[in-house]
Protein backbone atom coordinates (compact mmCIF):
# COMPACT_ATOMS: atom_id res chain seq x y z
CA UNK A 1 0.00 0.00 0.00
CA UNK A 2 1.49 3.36 -1.05
CA UNK A 3 2.31 6.23 1.27
CA UNK A 4 0.10 9.31 1.60
CA UNK A 5 2.34 11.51 -0.58
CA UNK A 6 2.31 8.86 -3.33
CA UNK A 7 -1.47 8.67 -3.23
CA UNK A 8 -1.71 12.47 -3.34
CA UNK A 9 0.61 12.57 -6.35
CA UNK A 10 -1.60 10.01 -8.13
CA UNK A 11 -4.72 12.06 -7.47
CA UNK A 12 -2.93 15.22 -8.60
CA UNK A 13 -1.93 13.60 -11.89
CA UNK A 14 -5.55 12.55 -12.49
CA UNK A 15 -6.81 16.08 -11.78
CA UNK A 16 -4.19 17.60 -14.08
CA UNK A 17 -5.41 15.35 -16.91
CA UNK A 18 -9.04 16.26 -16.16
CA UNK A 19 -8.17 19.96 -16.10
CA UNK A 20 -6.34 19.74 -19.43
CA UNK A 21 -9.33 17.96 -20.99
CA UNK A 22 -11.67 20.69 -19.71
CA UNK A 23 -9.37 23.41 -21.02
CA UNK A 24 -9.14 21.73 -24.43
CA UNK A 25 -12.95 21.59 -24.61
CA UNK A 26 -13.30 25.18 -23.52
CA UNK A 27 -10.77 26.31 -26.14
CA UNK A 28 -12.55 24.69 -29.08
CA UNK A 29 -13.12 27.08 -31.98
CA UNK A 30 -16.53 27.26 -33.58
CA UNK A 31 -17.19 28.44 -37.13
CA UNK A 32 -19.55 31.08 -35.69
CA UNK A 33 -18.83 33.40 -32.74
CA UNK A 34 -20.58 31.51 -29.94
CA UNK A 35 -20.02 32.21 -26.26
CA UNK A 36 -18.51 29.23 -24.48
CA UNK A 37 -20.23 28.48 -21.20
CA UNK A 38 -19.25 25.99 -18.47
CA UNK A 39 -16.10 24.97 -20.38
CA UNK A 40 -18.02 22.85 -22.91
CA UNK A 41 -17.42 22.77 -26.68
CA UNK A 42 -19.79 23.92 -29.39
CA UNK A 43 -19.39 22.86 -33.01
CA UNK A 44 -21.50 22.52 -36.15
CA UNK A 45 -24.59 24.01 -34.56
CA UNK A 46 -24.57 21.76 -31.49
CA UNK A 47 -23.12 21.84 -27.99
CA UNK A 48 -21.40 18.77 -26.60
CA UNK A 49 -22.86 17.39 -23.40
CA UNK A 50 -20.89 16.32 -20.33
CA UNK A 51 -17.99 13.92 -20.95
CA UNK A 52 -19.40 10.91 -19.07
CA UNK A 53 -22.81 10.85 -20.83
CA UNK A 54 -20.99 11.46 -24.11
CA UNK A 55 -18.74 8.41 -23.70
CA UNK A 56 -21.60 6.26 -22.41
CA UNK A 57 -23.78 7.19 -25.35
CA UNK A 58 -21.04 6.35 -27.83
CA UNK A 59 -20.42 2.97 -26.18
CA UNK A 60 -23.96 1.83 -25.38
CA UNK A 61 -26.38 3.49 -27.76
CA UNK A 62 -27.34 2.40 -31.25
CA UNK A 63 -28.07 5.48 -33.36
CA UNK A 64 -29.47 3.21 -36.05
CA UNK A 65 -32.50 2.50 -33.86
CA UNK A 66 -33.85 6.01 -34.50
CA UNK A 67 -34.07 7.26 -38.11
CA UNK A 68 -32.37 10.62 -38.66
CA UNK A 69 -34.61 12.58 -41.01
CA UNK A 70 -34.41 16.15 -42.21
CA UNK A 71 -38.16 16.54 -42.65
CA UNK A 72 -38.03 16.95 -46.43
CA UNK A 73 -37.76 13.34 -47.63
CA UNK A 74 -41.41 12.55 -48.22
CA UNK A 75 -44.86 14.09 -48.02
CA UNK A 76 -46.58 10.84 -47.00
CA UNK A 77 -47.00 10.44 -43.20
CA UNK A 78 -44.56 7.99 -41.66
CA UNK A 79 -46.16 7.79 -38.21
CA UNK A 80 -49.85 7.28 -37.49
CA UNK A 81 -50.53 9.61 -34.55
CA UNK A 82 -53.79 10.06 -32.69
CA UNK A 83 -54.70 13.65 -32.02
CA UNK A 84 -54.39 14.91 -28.47
CA UNK A 85 -57.65 15.86 -26.80
CA UNK A 86 -57.47 19.64 -26.41
CA UNK A 87 -58.80 20.74 -23.03
CA UNK A 88 -56.62 23.80 -22.44
CA UNK A 89 -54.05 25.93 -24.16
CA UNK A 90 -51.02 23.79 -24.96
CA UNK A 91 -47.48 24.78 -24.05
CA UNK A 92 -44.04 23.20 -23.82
CA UNK A 93 -43.73 21.05 -20.69
CA UNK A 94 -40.28 21.21 -19.12
CA UNK A 95 -39.27 18.19 -17.06
CA UNK A 96 -37.51 18.77 -13.76
CA UNK A 97 -34.76 16.50 -12.46
CA UNK A 98 -37.17 14.21 -10.57
CA UNK A 99 -39.67 13.61 -13.39
CA UNK A 100 -39.55 10.51 -15.59
CA UNK A 101 -40.00 11.03 -19.33
CA UNK A 102 -41.17 7.46 -19.91
CA UNK A 103 -44.02 7.82 -17.41
CA UNK A 104 -45.03 11.12 -18.94
CA UNK A 105 -45.13 9.74 -22.50
CA UNK A 106 -47.30 6.70 -21.59
CA UNK A 107 -46.23 3.55 -23.46
CA UNK A 108 -49.84 2.50 -24.19
CA UNK A 109 -50.70 5.79 -25.89
CA UNK A 110 -50.68 6.32 -29.67
CA UNK A 111 -50.42 10.09 -29.38
CA UNK A 112 -47.22 11.71 -30.61
CA UNK A 113 -44.81 13.94 -28.71
CA UNK A 114 -41.85 16.02 -29.81
CA UNK A 115 -39.09 15.89 -27.18
CA UNK A 116 -36.23 18.38 -27.02
CA UNK A 117 -32.96 17.62 -25.23
CA UNK A 118 -31.25 20.91 -24.39
CA UNK A 119 -28.97 22.56 -21.84
CA UNK A 120 -29.35 26.00 -20.29
CA UNK A 121 -25.77 27.03 -21.12
CA UNK A 122 -25.85 26.12 -24.83
CA UNK A 123 -26.20 29.07 -27.21
CA UNK A 124 -27.74 26.86 -29.92
CA UNK A 125 -30.41 25.65 -27.50
CA UNK A 126 -31.18 29.26 -26.63
CA UNK A 127 -31.47 30.16 -30.33
CA UNK A 128 -33.93 27.30 -30.85
CA UNK A 129 -36.06 28.16 -27.79
CA UNK A 130 -38.43 30.76 -29.37
CA UNK A 131 -39.17 28.44 -32.29
CA UNK A 132 -39.80 25.41 -30.07
CA UNK A 133 -41.95 27.50 -27.71
CA UNK A 134 -44.18 28.35 -30.69
CA UNK A 135 -44.81 24.75 -31.80
CA UNK A 136 -47.67 23.96 -29.32
CA UNK A 137 -49.70 26.79 -30.86
CA UNK A 138 -48.94 25.62 -34.39
CA UNK A 139 -49.67 21.93 -33.63
CA UNK A 140 -52.17 21.88 -30.71
CA UNK A 141 -52.92 18.17 -31.31
CA UNK A 142 -49.42 17.11 -30.19
CA UNK A 143 -47.42 17.08 -26.96
CA UNK A 144 -44.19 19.07 -26.69
CA UNK A 145 -41.67 18.24 -23.97
CA UNK A 146 -38.23 19.64 -23.14
CA UNK A 147 -35.65 18.31 -20.70
CA UNK A 148 -32.23 19.45 -19.58
CA UNK A 149 -29.80 16.77 -20.82
CA UNK A 150 -27.38 17.53 -17.98
CA UNK A 151 -30.07 16.62 -15.43
CA UNK A 152 -31.23 13.50 -17.29
CA UNK A 153 -27.95 11.81 -18.26
CA UNK A 154 -29.53 8.32 -18.27
CA UNK A 155 -32.07 9.40 -20.89
CA UNK A 156 -29.35 11.13 -22.90
CA UNK A 157 -27.41 7.86 -22.91
CA UNK A 158 -30.47 5.77 -23.75
CA UNK A 159 -31.38 7.81 -26.82
CA UNK A 160 -27.84 8.57 -28.02
CA UNK A 161 -27.86 12.28 -27.19
CA UNK A 162 -24.19 13.21 -27.48
CA UNK A 163 -24.88 16.84 -28.41
CA UNK A 164 -27.66 19.35 -27.86
CA UNK A 165 -30.09 20.52 -29.02
CA UNK A 166 -31.43 17.09 -29.99
CA UNK A 167 -35.07 16.60 -31.08
CA UNK A 168 -36.89 13.25 -31.17
CA UNK A 169 -40.41 12.38 -32.31
CA UNK A 170 -42.11 9.80 -30.06
CA UNK A 171 -45.26 7.77 -30.55
CA UNK A 172 -46.25 6.83 -27.04
CA UNK A 173 -42.91 5.99 -25.40
CA UNK A 174 -41.24 4.77 -28.61
CA UNK A 175 -38.83 7.04 -30.52
CA UNK A 176 -39.80 7.15 -34.19
CA UNK A 177 -37.60 9.79 -35.85
CA UNK A 178 -34.81 12.23 -35.09
CA UNK A 179 -34.77 15.80 -36.44
CA UNK A 180 -31.35 16.21 -38.00
CA UNK A 181 -31.33 19.53 -39.86
CA UNK A 182 -28.70 22.15 -39.11
CA UNK A 183 -31.24 24.95 -39.57
CA UNK A 184 -33.62 24.69 -36.61
CA UNK A 185 -36.42 27.16 -37.28
CA UNK A 186 -40.19 27.10 -36.90
CA UNK A 187 -40.49 26.46 -40.64
CA UNK A 188 -38.14 23.45 -40.72
CA UNK A 189 -39.62 22.01 -37.51
CA UNK A 190 -43.16 22.39 -38.87
CA UNK A 191 -42.15 20.70 -42.11
CA UNK A 192 -40.60 17.82 -40.16
CA UNK A 193 -43.74 17.30 -38.06
CA UNK A 194 -46.07 17.50 -41.06
CA UNK A 195 -44.01 15.03 -43.08
CA UNK A 196 -43.81 12.55 -40.21
CA UNK A 197 -47.36 12.75 -38.83
CA UNK A 198 -49.49 14.28 -41.57
CA UNK A 199 -50.68 17.01 -39.18
CA UNK A 200 -51.20 20.35 -40.88
CA UNK A 201 -49.61 23.40 -39.32
CA UNK A 202 -51.73 26.28 -38.07
CA UNK A 203 -51.64 29.33 -40.39
CA UNK A 204 -50.54 31.52 -37.45
CA UNK A 205 -46.80 30.91 -37.32
CA UNK A 206 -45.51 34.02 -35.59
CA UNK A 207 -42.48 33.08 -33.51
CA UNK A 208 -43.05 33.75 -29.80
CA UNK A 209 -40.49 35.99 -28.14
CA UNK A 210 -41.22 34.53 -24.69
CA UNK A 211 -42.02 31.04 -23.45
CA UNK A 212 -41.09 28.25 -21.04
CA UNK A 213 -37.71 27.59 -22.66
CA UNK A 214 -35.09 30.29 -21.96
CA UNK A 215 -33.92 32.20 -25.04
CA UNK A 216 -30.73 33.40 -23.31
CA UNK A 217 -27.97 30.99 -22.24
CA UNK A 218 -27.27 30.81 -18.52
CA UNK A 219 -23.72 30.92 -17.26
CA UNK A 220 -22.67 28.03 -15.06
CA UNK A 221 -19.69 27.22 -12.82
CA UNK A 222 -17.47 24.29 -13.72
CA UNK A 223 -17.04 22.92 -10.20
CA UNK A 224 -14.71 20.11 -11.27
CA UNK A 225 -12.31 22.62 -12.79
CA UNK A 226 -12.51 24.86 -9.71
CA UNK A 227 -11.85 21.88 -7.40
CA UNK A 228 -8.93 20.78 -9.61
CA UNK A 229 -7.30 24.22 -9.38
CA UNK A 230 -7.75 24.39 -5.59
CA UNK A 231 -6.45 20.86 -5.07
CA UNK A 232 -3.41 21.39 -7.29
CA UNK A 233 -2.63 24.66 -5.53
CA UNK A 234 -2.82 22.97 -2.12
CA UNK A 235 -0.75 20.00 -3.28
CA UNK A 236 1.85 22.33 -4.78
CA UNK A 237 2.13 24.20 -1.48
CA UNK A 238 2.42 20.91 0.43
CA UNK A 239 5.14 19.64 -1.92
CA UNK A 240 7.02 22.92 -1.57
CA UNK A 241 6.95 22.79 2.23
CA UNK A 242 8.19 19.18 2.19
CA UNK A 243 11.01 19.82 -0.28
CA UNK A 244 14.67 19.64 0.72
CA UNK A 245 15.26 23.32 -0.05
CA UNK A 246 12.72 24.30 2.60
CA UNK A 247 13.93 21.72 5.15
CA UNK A 248 17.47 23.11 4.94
CA UNK A 249 16.15 26.44 6.26
CA UNK A 250 14.93 24.76 9.46
CA UNK A 251 17.50 24.77 12.34
CA UNK A 252 19.24 21.44 13.09
CA UNK A 253 17.84 21.15 16.63
CA UNK A 254 14.33 21.21 15.22
CA UNK A 255 15.20 18.17 13.07
CA UNK A 256 16.62 16.39 16.10
CA UNK A 257 13.48 17.02 18.13
Amino acid sequence: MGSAPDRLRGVAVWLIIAGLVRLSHGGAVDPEPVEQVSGEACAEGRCETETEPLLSAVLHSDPGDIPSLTGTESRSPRVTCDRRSITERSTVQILNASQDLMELLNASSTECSLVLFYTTWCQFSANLAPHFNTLPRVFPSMHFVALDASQHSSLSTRFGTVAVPNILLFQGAKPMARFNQTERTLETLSSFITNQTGFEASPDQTVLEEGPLPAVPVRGIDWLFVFSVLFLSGFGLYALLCSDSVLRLVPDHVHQD
Side-chain angles (χ1 to χ4, degrees), residues 123-180:
Q123 180 66 56
F124 299 112
S125 295
N127 293 341
L128 170 63
H131 303 273
F132 201 86
N133 286 331
T134 308
L135 286 175
R137 192 188 66 215
V138 179
F139 294 94
S141 55
M142 286 185 60
H143 298 277
F144 294 90
V145 182
L147 57 91
D148 190 332
S150 62
Q151 297 180 359
H152 297 269
S153 58
S154 60
L155 288 174
S156 300
T157 300
R158 179 174 179 178
F159 298 114
T161 300
V162 297
V164 292
N166 186 30
I167 302 172
L168 298 178
L169 174 68
F170 284 79
Q171 183 182 42
K174 181 180 179 181
M176 304 301 293
R178 188 192 307 273
F179 180 84
N180 200 32

Side-chain angles (χ1 to χ4, degrees), residues 79-99:
V79 184
T80 304
C81 302
D82 288 341
R83 294 182 179 273
R84 182 180 72 92
S85 56
I86 304 174
T87 57
E88 58 183 9
R89 184 179 178 182
S90 179
T91 186
V92 177
Q93 181 174 355
I94 300 181
L95 266 64
N96 58 42
S98 63
Q99 289 179 298

Side-chain angles (χ1 to χ4, degrees), residues 9-29:
R9 291 189 185 95
V11 175
V13 171
W14 181 88
L15 286 173
I16 290 173
I17 295 174
L20 291 175
V21 170
R22 287 301 177 101
L23 287 175
S24 64
H25 283 178
V29 179

Side-chain angles (χ1 to χ4, degrees), residues 34 44 54 73 84 88 99 115-116 121 147 235 242:
V34 178
E44 297 182 359
L54 171 61
E73 289 83 351
R84 182 180 72 92
E88 58 183 9
Q99 289 179 298
V115 179
L116 167 66
W121 50 262
L147 57 91
F235 181 79
C242 294

